[in-house]
Amino acid sequence: MEKKTYIVGGALIALLILVVVFVAYSPSKVQLTAANSGSTVELKSGQVVSITLEANPTTGYTWEVVEPLDEQVMRQVGEIEFKRESDAIGAGGVQIIRFEIVNAGQTSLKLAYHRPWETDVEPLKTFYIQVVA
């Protein structure tokens, strides 16, 4: 009987160590791309989500949040950043949008790639995720 107790106790300690290591080393930053669109993303309070999407603002098109966020769960951090792929005039690149998880809950995030002044035109692209924090 004592041998079974030691095995079970040892297994529980090993499991506890794995949980502690996983929590301690879970990434504080999560990187998403267009490939993640349509998915549900599970995050923790304090994590920062960085969404990197192809864009070319010189054409007037830009990514924009079009579905209001539940800012009690997730809020945008800073402005949308643009990184050009080259120094050529009119070069495309990527736009990076960051959000921070501030509390537990659920929210959805929808981004549209469009010309903001064209209100009656469908966006060229959309990005959508469901966030569970």
Side-chain angles (χ1 to χ4, degrees):
M1 187 71 170
E2 284 185 35
K3 191 173 186 180
K4 286 183 182 178
T5 304
Y6 288 128
I7 292 171
V8 171
L12 288 174
I13 290 172
L15 181 61
L16 181 60
I17 290 170
L18 284 174
V19 168
V20 168
V21 168
F22 177 75
V23 169
Y25 290 101
S26 65
S28 63
K29 293 183 182 178
V30 176
Q31 304 285 332
L32 302 178
T33 65
N36 299 106
S37 186
S39 64
T40 298
V41 182
E42 292 185 25
L43 302 163
K44 294 182 173 119
S45 184
Q47 284 186 305
V48 174
V49 180
S50 180
I51 303 169
T52 302
L53 301 166
E54 290 185 11
N56 191 344
T58 63
T59 63
Y61 286 93
T62 187
W63 286 99
E64 180 177 49
V65 176
V66 292
E67 190 167 296
L69 291 173
D70 180 348
E71 292 198 349
Q72 296 299 314
V73 177
M74 182 168 78
R75 65 179 169 88
Q76 187 171 340
V77 177
E79 297 296 318
I80 297 174
E81 179 183 344
F82 176 63
K83 289 190 177 183
R84 289 193 278 170
E85 62 187 23
S86 77
D87 289 332
I89 295 174
V94 294
Q95 284 188 306
I96 304 165
I97 309 163
R98 292 177 183 85
F99 300 90
E100 180 181 14
I101 305 304
V102 291
N103 288 305
Q106 292 187 11
T107 189
S108 57
L109 172 65
K110 185 174 182 182
L111 306 173
Y113 185 64
H114 67 135
R115 290 179 170 142
W117 63 88
E118 294 180 340
T119 57
D120 295 334
V121 178
E122 288 293 314
L124 285 183
K125 303 175 198 173
T126 58
F127 176 90
Y128 175 83
I129 57 171
Q130 183 69 31
V131 176
V132 178

